[in-house]
Amino acid sequence: MSHIRSRFNAPAAKPVVEYTSSLPFDKRLYRHDIAGSIAHTKMLAKQAIIPQQDANTIIKYLTSIAGEIEQGKFEFKAELEDIHMAIESRLFELTGEIAGKLHTARSRNDQVALDMRLFTKEAISETVVRLRFLQQSLVELAEENKDVVMPGYTHLQTAQPVLFAHHLLAYFEMFQRDAERFGEALKRTDVMPLGSGALAGVAYDIDRDFVARELGFSQISRNSMDAVSDRDFVIEYLAAASICMMHLSRLAEEVIIWSSAEFGFIELDDAYATGSSIMPQKKNPDVAELARGRVGRTYGNLIALLTTMKALPLSYNRDLQEDKEALFDSVDTLLPSLEVFSGMISSLKIKKENMERAASRDYILATDLADYLVSRGETFRNAHGITARLVSYAAETGKALNRLSLSEYKRFSPLFNKDALAISKSSSVAARNIAGGTAPQQVEKAIDRAKEMIGKSNKGGF
Amino acid sequence: MSHIRSRFNAPAAKPVVEYTSSLPFDKRLYRHDIAGSIAHTKMLAKQAIIPQQDANTIIKYLTSIAGEIEQGKFEFKAELEDIHMAIESRLFELTGEIAGKLHTARSRNDQVALDMRLFTKEAISETVVRLRFLQQSLVELAEENKDVVMPGYTHLQTAQPVLFAHHLLAYFEMFQRDAERFGEALKRTDVMPLGSGALAGVAYDIDRDFVARELGFSQISRNSMDAVSDRDFVIEYLAAASICMMHLSRLAEEVIIWSSAEFGFIELDDAYATGSSIMPQKKNPDVAELARGRVGRTYGNLIALLTTMKALPLSYNRDLQEDKEALFDSVDTLLPSLEVFSGMISSLKIKKENMERAASRDYILATDLADYLVSRGETFRNAHGITARLVSYAAETGKALNRLSLSEYKRFSPLFNKDALAISKSSSVAARNIAGGTAPQQVEKAIDRAKEMIGKSNKGGF
Amino acid sequence: MSHIRSRFNAPAAKPVVEYTSSLPFDKRLYRHDIAGSIAHTKMLAKQAIIPQQDANTIIKYLTSIAGEIEQGKFEFKAELEDIHMAIESRLFELTGEIAGKLHTARSRNDQVALDMRLFTKEAISETVVRLRFLQQSLVELAEENKDVVMPGYTHLQTAQPVLFAHHLLAYFEMFQRDAERFGEALKRTDVMPLGSGALAGVAYDIDRDFVARELGFSQISRNSMDAVSDRDFVIEYLAAASICMMHLSRLAEEVIIWSSAEFGFIELDDAYATGSSIMPQKKNPDVAELARGRVGRTYGNLIALLTTMKALPLSYNRDLQEDKEALFDSVDTLLPSLEVFSGMISSLKIKKENMERAASRDYILATDLADYLVSRGETFRNAHGITARLVSYAAETGKALNRLSLSEYKRFSPLFNKDALAISKSSSVAARNIAGGTAPQQVEKAIDRAKEMIGKSNKGGF
Amino acid sequence: MSHIRSRFNAPAAKPVVEYTSSLPFDKRLYRHDIAGSIAHTKMLAKQAIIPQQDANTIIKYLTSIAGEIEQGKFEFKAELEDIHMAIESRLFELTGEIAGKLHTARSRNDQVALDMRLFTKEAISETVVRLRFLQQSLVELAEENKDVVMPGYTHLQTAQPVLFAHHLLAYFEMFQRDAERFGEALKRTDVMPLGSGALAGVAYDIDRDFVARELGFSQISRNSMDAVSDRDFVIEYLAAASICMMHLSRLAEEVIIWSSAEFGFIELDDAYATGSSIMPQKKNPDVAELARGRVGRTYGNLIALLTTMKALPLSYNRDLQEDKEALFDSVDTLLPSLEVFSGMISSLKIKKENMERAASRDYILATDLADYLVSRGETFRNAHGITARLVSYAAETGKALNRLSLSEYKRFSPLFNKDALAISKSSSVAARNIAGGTAPQQVEKAIDRAKEMIGKSNKGGF
């Protein structure tokens, strides 16, 4: 750092050193930083901006510094304010003066933008892989329980019978949209910023496309001032992660409710449950609760960076340093959440009888009766009213709908006929035989399609 | 509403009616609701679920209801809880019993999802159009001031000279990414949910693809439970709007700072400035301040809906009603912000002399001196140190760099030669002649490319 | 507005007028604005800054303007940018020139701060009143069901039996803290800003304390620049409202879960439930769902204003106009939510048998068995382990704990004796007889204390 | 942990162990945890729930464990899920069976609530101390520059001259409100939760008041279910920290703007400034920028925990574990921010001439001219209009107001007299001689009052 402060008469105050240092967290970017420096150095030599021999030396020692860090032998000195200076400073120790050529035609402003883009690209790839595993767990569980009927809920009130598999596949769709979103964020992340310099571009005859190719980027940035002050790609990850964690929180909520004694629809595998320090009988869905709770931090990280970016004038401002911990924390929240959910879903024990018992009660077939009347010529609104009165009557007399006699039915509409009594949760489910509906035939198709999409993505598409 | 409550013995309590009614705000969806109902009715007739003649009657009166609303003749009765019931109820008044057939094979759950998707599609289109206008204003202003040099800033400290046009084009890039994001959100919005029923699909032989075609959707939803409980598309709009307003807040901050007496880089047109109730001399950049302030509400709306969606079990829950005002408010914030910014930018008066004077001071060319030394064989780090000491010396003696003599230069490095004294803000700008840099040649290219992209989008692409 | 723009050569552009006008929402402040103007005018006359006769005229017509607005006869002209100018402009119509004296020694900057403080003070008072009503509903329901035992939950898993009344009183405590917080926010709201002028104070011999007394403020602001740019008091309301809505969202979640067929602990009164447009049997807890959903908007409003305030330089900036809609929306969300919850809670039907049945199952007494062993000399950790093994055994053999024989018990610890079999949910509840515990005696005390606190607050304390 | 899982047949899956462990961050609570355990143990012995001798042993070894941790000799084993189990487990190693008595009459649910309350109380105290230091720095700087006049701004446009000291004292007021808020949050934090057990209270004859006294709490919690699920006190800290950081962000923004070459009002001490890796001349206000940027994380943490708490049913849920990192991060953000700001403010170099030059330009005295006309009998509105026209005239003719002749003045109003030309920035400032105004006399009083308040707080009040 000392060389950066050469203009100053006094060292930074100690609390300032601590306050401004990003080394405690940006050291995590060391691989990306070194990869970027190596590509940059190769280019400098190729363009004859520095001698090839110096470039070779620099690259050799950068590689060995990477090794030192990986092996835990590297000393991160608190007074070096960031990972860039920490590495450059070590390079000086190893090569002497030659190290001074590395930072030619580069600024920390474009360098850190590069590191963050390399990191975010990796994070996106890993996120999508884990989304696919979770989708697979859902599809497998759906397929194994293809014929289990459960109550579908609206307002957490019993609504209509649905296939358990259909319910699971709703989450497949959510995670599918998530994967798409991450894929699109990738496009705007996959842009190589080096060459933007501090803000205005650099005054050297560099080859930006070469660096982009070396590092696997498909584009280069198009405006240097934008490139050093843009963090949209980080915000996009944070926003996509927030939506994805929100989906997980919904699934978590259902796992928690279904695990309650009162619902009793599922039982967690012991490996995915925790106990109590005081109540010996407890089997708690802590994994689901933590995922539900952790959606908070992904929202928080999103708001944090959006707030930081508000009203920042161009170009680079130190405020931008705040992009890192927000991103790291959301990545470190989302990735393990996806992982543990895959395992939790795969190992779920389904209590089929409880689901089916619940799907048999509470006038769950009232809509089917209304539809029946429509099929016999009633308007839907009348049919709805008739059935509502029938339900009131049944509730008052304390009977289930299938305990009423045909004559009781007919008291509410002459259109009721014997076949009305044959309506069952199976017939109800089977009747919803349209694209996207819960009929077994449709769900079968949806499972096939889902498997196909997962297969495709394994071959590299989103 | 009464027919919906047919099961109940008591009317809703008055505060409950007010608390639950969405009519005060969802009436805004009347066009979308009626368009959806007409397409649904056509399909019901085509599939022979209702007679063609009844369909004709329903469609005729739905059309006339749309007219009534447009002409302000429609009475929105407080006790009808939402726009769907308000319209259906009016249909009953006009057609009698036949109106009861409209809601066949449909639920308010899929109906409101449809309305929201139709609205959001329109909002996206309009947003992109306005983004294009703003981009055009920026490009035109850049082109008109192609040769104006201003100080580039980092940390709001004078950094290196840049072209004013280059600075403006940084915003072109931001709005370009915004347009892309809205375009991608559109893909996931452009999905037709009708046929999902309350949650499980419907028990009628409907033709979902027909409805989709009628309404201009390119896809149908693939899981009924997901379709009635998904609001990802709204959140995506809110997230994209937040990022876009954040970009506007950055531009607003610069307009405000540049308008200050101390900077004096620009002057707002009178039509875009406001006065003071007490200080007669004031000319205030209220438009920019309000845009900067309003970024808050777009962040707020994003957090609001993310919070609402957290941990909701499937499928439809009444909480989802909260999607509307958040979306409406962000649309109503973003669209006029884009519009007034186009006008404000187009009418800006550029105070070229002030910009150029500011670009001439404060050792702004120090980097160029360091680069000069590198070109003469110094390592960059040494060159940086030498120049820093030179700047310190100049500052202490109170001289600008171009007031130092060659011999003074040479005191710091023998590599300095006469041509070092020829470095100017023009040569500095010109030297950054790489893709994305601030050199006139590059900025010219960037303007051409920008114009081409706007032209392309006028022909329908994003 | 025209007189404010006298310096300008051009009128504001039409979209600018719309973009900057706050009249559509700040007209709600008309009562506060007029009250402030009357107090200000009285003071101007008392201090002989304007003639008493002019003051009388101004006050007379301000009073009549208030009447016009209340009776809906006032025309809010779009081109008048805010409520202040709308009223002043009407005053000119009524009094001519004299109206021009009203704005002496005042700026809109301190004027709007005053209006907002008056509004917020009222909002706080009303909020606390409604909190008290809700607390009362909870206490009454607790008292009526004083002996009902229900399962206490942790992790939504059955944990230990508790009194339903004890559960309800947990919410009493939350709302008590809410009332305290609003009371403290009041202290910082209750500060009179007039006299701060545009930012620097005013150059007239005014009597600020007089104005404060007239308007019922207990303090005057102490720094004019702070006074015109401070919105802490609004943020405090928004923060307290967010926490309070969060508490309501928790209660709402429980109402929803308890209303499910599977729990069946409560039944909503018909007046507080809603039906379905398609499923005739539904009885939905929409009120609870909407309150749960609306917590989102209070969080959103909080973030919105915090974002707006970020990094604003002193003193007044137009961004501050954004305080209004955020505040209004949170007030309009919280007040009705508190009201409908009072009614919903008061009219709840408690299904005592279902609660007690649920409180009898699932090894809910395991902790009591462990405590029993401790009382017989075992360390708690051993006792916990022994009981856990006992529960595993019971679960495997499919028996409830009270179906095991003493000899089965003794297989796990010789310390078990006959009285272990007498442990029941009643004895469990009774045993927690410490301050804050669920024993009937403690809950009785808590109810008494709660009633006393409500009584006290009715007499004016918080 | 193994004893907690005694009911289970399988260990937790490895990713589950990592996902659920809070040890990596809650180990920070070891002091609070041990202090709580010691107080609890003393009480258990006093109440004869465990033998005094066992208590002595437990306390002795808990003390030595605290020492081990402080000296870095304690091994935090990943498989122990939290700090409570880590310490208890070590206690077992040291004491054998006796350790099993520590957890009598306690649950981790009330234990962690206690730890968090102890931590938060400390955090509040430290925050208030640092607020006082910062206030002191502001007051000292104000006093040292008591007679410096600067331009007061609204809309970042020159508005009226103010004393620099007056401007600084506006921040004194903000931090005063912050200190009050933290003080009030303390009241609700200062509540002892132990005795609440898992949720229902404990079945032992404990003495809660004794524990409260031992630990320095002034109250005990009043409802066990509330006590284990309440995190309001954490949210209050997060909200107060957000507002306080918002205030810092405003001060930061001004430091940044004032440090720009264009404003040039202040110069940072070298110890509080940073350099550039590429531009040798730069002196950047990174400390201010980082504080401005970090306001984002405090907002984020607030939203994170509010989100986590949304709609959680009673009582303890694992989601609550998410309170810790949010709190720690906001404390770790706010405390150093306050510290570095104290130092930065104390060491600021004020460029008086630049401030005063800026306060002399741009029709800054126009309000005073309007006030002058009012004093000569004009209505304020007319006076405002006249002065506005005078300013337009001056601007068009390119003259400052004090370059206009009296006859030019009279062209706009005959009321102008010679003394109008004597209006100066000093007379302007002096004229605002009312409570809270910028007149030297008032500012003097405000400084005295501020010093008195700081003195008082040093003696222990808020």
Side-chain angles (χ1 to χ4, degrees), chain A residues 117-118 121 124 184-193 212 215-221 233:
Chain A
R117 286 176 179 275
L118 284 167
K121 283 180 67 177
I124 290 174
E184 291 162 358
L186 183 58
K187 290 194 298 180
R188 277 174 296 280
T189 307
D190 189 19
V191 175
M192 209 289 299
L215 293 167
F217 282 94
S218 66
Q219 288 184 67
I220 61 170
S221 59
F233 63 99

Side-chain angles (χ1 to χ4, degrees), chain B residues 22-83:
Chain B
S22 56
L23 195 52
F25 47 90
D26 71 8
K27 62 183 172 189
R28 180 167 178 169
L29 297 171
Y30 79 93
R31 272 196 303 112
H32 315 87
D33 197 69
I34 288 175
S37 287
I38 289 175
H40 180 65
T41 305
K42 281 189 189 166
M43 183 278 292
L44 290 177
K46 183 183 91 65
Q47 298 295 99
I49 296 168
I50 65 170
Q52 184 65 50
Q53 202 173 338
D54 292 350
N56 295 346
T57 305
I58 289 172
I59 290 169
K60 176 180 153 200
Y61 285 105
L62 283 174
T63 309
S64 84
I65 290 171
E68 287 175 18
I69 298 179
E70 253 144 56
Q71 292 153 40
K73 292 183 192 157
F74 188 93
E75 191 195 352
F76 290 100
K77 291 182 196 145
E79 74 273 18
L80 295 169
E81 61 183 293
D82 55 34
I83 186 64

